[in-house]
Amino acid sequence: MSETLERPATVENDARATVTAWLQAFEAALSAGDADAAAEMFAPVSFWRDLVTFTWNIRTMEGPDEVRDMLKAVLADVQPGHFAIAGEPSEADGVTEAWISFETAVARGNGLLRLKEGKAWTLLTAMTELKGFEEPLADRRPMGAEHGSEAGRKSWLEKRQQEAAELGYQTQPYVLIVGGGQGGIALGARLRQLGVPTIIVERNDRPGDSWRKRYKSLCLHDPVWYDHLPYLEFPKNWPVFAPKDKIGDWLEMYTKIMELNYWSRTTCRSASFDEASGEWTVVVDRDGEEVTLRPKQLVLATGMSGKPNMPTIKGMERFQGEHHHSSQHPGPDAWKGKKAVVIGSNNSAHDICAALYEAGADVTMVQRSTTHIVKSDSLMEHGLGALYSERAVASGIDTTKADMIFASLPYRILHEFQIPIYDKIREVDAEFYAALEKAGFMLDYGADDSGLFMKYLRRGSGYYIDVGASQLIIDGKIKLKSGVEIEEITETGVRFVDGTELPADLIVYATGYGSMNGWAADLISQEVADRVGKVWGLGSDTPKDPGPWEGEQRNMWKPTQQPNLWFHGGNLHQSRHYSLYLALQLKAREAGMATPVYGLQDVHHSGR
C-alpha cells in the first residue's frame, strides 16, 4: 500500500479522508483477489470506464455485477496496486472527486474517481505507460549530440536516411497505418516515441493535403485548445479556428519534426491476413512502384468521415452541369453568376453554401431532414469553455486534464450532462432559432435534446456549428428548400415531388460519409468488413445509431473481431487522446507481452 494512502486523515479534509478510506479498502480487496468485495464498493448505479489498464480493451462496466465479472476474469493477470491520491480531492453536491494513480504488473496508470455516499459512482482508469518501455520524455529525453569520437560514426541525418531507405524493403514495419491525415499522423508520432517500427501510407502528395484539397472555406470549427496534437501544442498565437491550409502546413511540419516514416503518393491495392503467421500482406503502389509490405498490425486511419456517401437519385446520370460530392468540391470561384444547389444541411453544406454566396453564385440549400444548429460563440461559452479555453488553462485545466475529465463521464449518462448545456443555449439564442425556423429551416436538438456532442458520438452527423451561414439563411441570401423530397435530377436541375424544380449549373452532394468498415471491405474483403461490423456509434438506438447498447464507440481504438486489425480516427481531440491507448496496445504486442482482451465487442451490425 502506498505511502500516500497511509497518511492519517485530518478532520479538516473530509474529502481526502473519504477517498483515502475507499482506496485503501479497494486495494485490499484487489490484492486479496476478492472481486465480490471490490464490486460491493460500487454504487448500484455506477460506471467503471477502463482504458486498457485492466481489460486490454476500451470498456465500460456498468454496475457492481459487471465490475465483479470483469475483476474475476482479469485480477490474476493484472495484479493492480499502489493506488494513491494525485492532487487534492474535492467535494461538491454530495460527490467527492479525486485524481488517482496506480500500477499494474506491466503498466502505470492514472484516473479519476467520484464517490457518492462512500461508494464509487464513476471510476476512470487509464494506462499512461508500460513498465520498461517508458517514452523518452523530460529527464529521459535523448542526448542528441554524441560527445567524443568514433570512427565511421553516422550523423543523425544519415541514420534517418538509412532508416527511410530500408524500412519496408530490407526490414518490415511492425505497424502499417493506412491514412496519413491527422489520425494516422498522431498515432505515428506515439508509436515513434515507443520505438515501434511504423510506416504511414497516404495517397496524397504531401502530409496535410487531406485538408488542403477540401473546399476553399473549410476551417476548424473546434477551438485551438481542443485540437492540439500529441507532444507539440499549437503556438500561443495560433488562431482559435484555424483555416484548412494552415492546418495542412502544420501537419506537414509535424510529420517532419516527429521523424515519421511517411509514404506519400502511396495507394493500397490489397491486404490479406495469414492467421498462422499472424501477419498481413499488403500490396501498395508507391509512386508507381509496387511494394509488398508484411506488417503484423494493420491500422485503418482513413477517418470516420473518410468514405464519401454518394446518394443514388433518379436521373443523376443525365445532369448536364457539374455535380460532385462535397469531398470533391474545389471551391466557389468558378460559379460566380451561376446557379448552385447544395443537397444537405450539415457542416459542409453550410460552409460550401456560404462560400458560393460570397463568390457571387445564386445558391440554394436543399434540407432533407432536421439539423442541429449551435452558434460557435455559444458552444465556446457554454459547451467547451470549462474544459477547452484560455479560461480553463488559467484555472489549471490543461488539455491532458481536460481530456481525462471528458473521458471520465460514461457514455450511458453523458447526455444528462449535455442536456442542461443545450437548454441554456436554446434560452440564450431563442431569437436566433426563431428566425431560422421562420426562414423554413427544420431544427432539432438531438434525439433527447442533448445537442451536438451526443449527435457526433452517436452518428457523426446531423449538426452545424454556426460561423455565419445561418444568418445568410435567415436573411434569404442562401435560399432554402426544405421539407420536400427530391423526385429526380433532370438535365438542368433538381425536381421535387411537389412539382417544383431548381435550375442548377452546379449540384454539390453534401451527403456525408459511410462507416469506416467500408474501407475494410474495399481494401481487404467484404467478409472481413462483416466480421468487424459497424464502426462508430454507441448503440444508443437513436437515429443512425442502432442498438443494442455498446457503451463505447464501436470498434474504435481497440481490438476488433478481426485479429490484428484496428480502426483509428475521429476529430483532432479524439485522434490526440485515443492514439495513446492504441499505441500502448500495439507496443505491448510488439514487445511480446500477454494482452488478454476482456469483453471483445460483439458484432450486431454487418459491414454492408
Side-chain angles (χ1 to χ4, degrees):
M1 191 116 11
S2 69
E3 292 181 4
T4 304
L5 296 185
E6 293 174 342
R7 284 199 294 254
T10 61
V11 175
E12 292 79 13
N13 196 336
D14 291 338
R16 175 172 284 275
T18 299
V19 174
T20 299
W22 192 92
L23 285 176
Q24 286 179 335
F26 187 58
E27 182 167 341
L30 298 181
S31 298
D34 193 342
D36 292 311
E40 285 300 313
M41 299 181 65
F42 285 75
V45 177
S46 55
F47 308 89
W48 180 350
R49 188 174 192 221
D50 182 60
L51 306 181
V52 185
T53 51
F54 280 71
T55 60
W56 288 108
N57 200 352
I58 295 178
R59 179 90 179 174
T60 297
M61 283 59 66
E62 301 186 3
D65 289 343
E66 290 191 11
V67 169
R68 179 183 299 107
D69 291 344
M70 183 272 287
L71 289 176
K72 285 184 176 181
V74 309
L75 265 182
D77 292 319
V78 176
Q79 300 175 37
H82 299 286
F83 283 83
I85 296 171
E88 197 60 37
S90 62
E91 193 279 330
D93 301 323
V95 177
T96 303
E97 183 174 290
W99 293 98
I100 64 171
S101 63
F102 62 96
E103 296 184 15
T104 69
V106 299
R108 298 180 186 89
N110 57 25
L112 188 56
L113 170 67
R114 297 185 183 92
L115 302 174
K116 282 185 176 180
E117 298 180 351
K119 290 199 172 188
W121 174 42
T122 71
L123 173 62
L124 172 69
T125 49
M127 187 180 291
T128 56
E129 61 184 6
L130 293 164
K131 294 177 180 177
F133 302 99
E134 295 82 0
E135 293 186 14
L137 304 175
D139 57 357
R140 295 191 298 267
R141 70 172 71 227
M143 287 295 294
E146 298 180 18
H147 298 157
S149 61
E150 180 184 338
R153 180 168 60 188
K154 287 184 170 67
S155 68
W156 170 85
L157 178 59
E158 289 169 329
K159 291 178 182 177
R160 281 289 295 134
Q161 290 172 334
Q162 180 179 356
E163 178 187 21
E166 293 180 354
L167 190 61
Y169 297 94
Q170 286 92 332
T171 61
Q172 287 298 315
Y174 182 77
V175 176
L176 177 65
I177 300 173
V178 179
Q182 63 208 35
I185 288 171
L187 179 60
R190 300 278 194 190
L191 291 170
R192 179 76 180 181
Q193 296 306 303
L194 289 168
V196 179
T198 302
I199 293 175
I200 304 168
V201 296
E202 168 60 41
R203 62 187 176 187
N204 284 313
D205 293 338
R206 298 158 55 197
D209 275 355
S210 55
W211 284 87
R212 293 189 191 95
K213 291 186 175 182
R214 296 291 304 279
Y215 54 87
K216 184 177 179 180
S217 61
L218 177 66
C219 67
L220 283 175
H221 288 200
D222 300 319
V224 63
W225 306 276
Y226 189 74
D227 292 330
H228 294 303
L229 293 178
Y231 310 111
L232 187 61
E233 293 190 348
F234 293 114
K236 297 296 184 185
N237 62 349
W238 196 261
V240 175
F241 303 107
K244 70 179 183 73
D245 296 286
K246 194 172 180 68
I247 286 291
D249 288 348
W250 179 264
L251 291 174
E252 184 170 21
M253 180 211 69
Y254 183 90
T255 301
K256 292 179 180 178
I257 288 175
M258 300 308 293
E259 303 177 16
L260 305 186
N261 293 301
Y262 191 100
W263 288 13
S264 59
R265 295 187 294 277
T266 301
T267 304
C268 287
R269 291 180 174 174
S270 65
S272 60
F273 183 68
D274 185 324
E275 292 193 15
S277 64
E279 183 176 273
W280 290 92
T281 298
V282 184
V283 179
V284 304
D285 180 329
R286 188 184 187 190
D287 200 15
E289 174 192 10
E290 182 175 292
V291 181
T292 299
L293 299 171
R294 301 188 185 279
K296 295 292 187 182
Q297 308 288 343
L298 181 63
V299 180
L300 299 187
T302 47
M304 61 148 303
S305 298
K307 191 171 179 62
N309 182 20
M310 192 69 170
T312 300
I313 303 174
K314 178 184 175 182
M316 289 174 67
E317 72 285 349
R318 63 185 178 180
F319 181 61
Q320 296 176 356
E322 171 70 25
H323 61 154
H324 48 244
H325 189 266
S326 59
S327 61
Q328 303 299 316
H329 183 61
D333 295 345
W335 305 102
K336 181 178 181 180
K338 298 183 179 180
K339 294 185 180 296
V341 173
V342 178
I343 298 174
S345 56
N346 296 335
N347 268 333
S348 294
H350 280 82
D351 286 348
I352 290 169
C353 283
L356 285 165
Y357 165 77
E358 290 175 0
D362 180 340
V363 58
T364 301
M365 176 186 290
V366 176
Q367 185 185 22
R368 301 180 299 167
S369 58
T370 61
T371 306
H372 174 52
I373 307 289
V374 59
K375 295 175 76 171
S376 177
D377 289 348
S378 298
L379 180 63
M380 286 279 292
E381 175 63 24
H382 303 289
L384 288 171
L387 295 181
Y388 300 98
S389 67
E390 211 61 47
R391 164 164 54 96
V393 173
S395 67
I397 301 177
D398 61 9
T399 302
T400 300
K401 182 174 280 191
D403 289 348
M404 290 290 286
I405 293 171
F406 194 76
S408 74
L409 296 173
Y411 290 128
R412 176 72 82 175
I413 59 173
L414 183 57
H415 66 286
E416 297 174 13
F417 293 84
Q418 296 294 305
I419 290 171
I421 293 172
Y422 291 93
D423 284 347
K424 178 65 175 179
I425 290 174
R426 289 171 74 172
E427 176 188 338
V428 170
D429 294 328
E431 292 183 7
F432 166 75
Y433 289 123
L436 269 174
E437 289 184 314
K438 184 178 180 181
F441 197 89
M442 300 184 298
L443 290 168
D444 71 57
Y445 302 91
D448 48 12
D449 289 343
S450 58
L452 185 145
F453 279 119
M454 296 311 303
K455 264 202 162 187
Y456 172 72
L457 293 167
R458 290 165 172 169
R459 54 183 280 189
S461 64
Y463 52 82
Y464 167 57
I465 301 174
D466 178 39
V467 292
S470 291
Q471 191 60 48
L472 295 176
I473 293 172
I474 290 169
D475 294 340
K477 295 173 180 177
I478 294 174
K479 299 173 184 176
L480 182 66
K481 181 76 172 180
S482 65
V484 182
E485 292 184 14
I486 297 171
E487 180 178 356
E488 62 180 338
I489 306 295
T490 68
E491 291 87 347
T492 57
V494 183
R495 180 177 295 148
F496 298 86
V497 294
D498 64 358
T500 60
E501 184 170 346
L502 288 173
D505 302 296
L506 167 70
I507 300 174
V508 180
Y509 303 99
T511 46
Y513 298 85
S515 174
M516 284 179 70
N517 59 359
W519 293 112
D522 292 348
L523 176 60
I524 310 167
S525 69
Q526 187 62 55
E527 179 186 1
V528 166
D530 289 342
R531 186 181 307 149
V532 169
K534 184 177 175 63
V535 179
W536 203 261
L538 304 173
S540 63
D541 202 24
T542 57
K544 298 189 178 182
D545 184 26
W549 178 249
E550 304 281 1
E552 291 289 344
Q553 289 287 355
R554 293 187 191 92
N555 287 310
M556 292 298 295
W557 317 295
K558 60 185 179 180
T560 68
Q561 291 286 351
Q562 170 58 52
N564 299 40
L565 177 65
W566 311 77
F567 292 86
H568 174 60
N571 58 28
L572 278 159
H573 154 255
Q574 290 170 308
S575 293
R576 172 190 66 248
H577 183 59
Y578 289 100
S579 60
L580 171 61
Y581 309 112
L582 177 49
L584 289 168
Q585 293 173 81
L586 293 168
K587 177 62 184 180
R589 286 161 173 79
E590 189 250 356
M593 294 181 177
T595 56
V597 176
Y598 176 80
L600 184 65
Q601 181 185 301
D602 292 329
V603 176
H604 302 288
H605 308 284
S606 76
R608 298 176 190 275

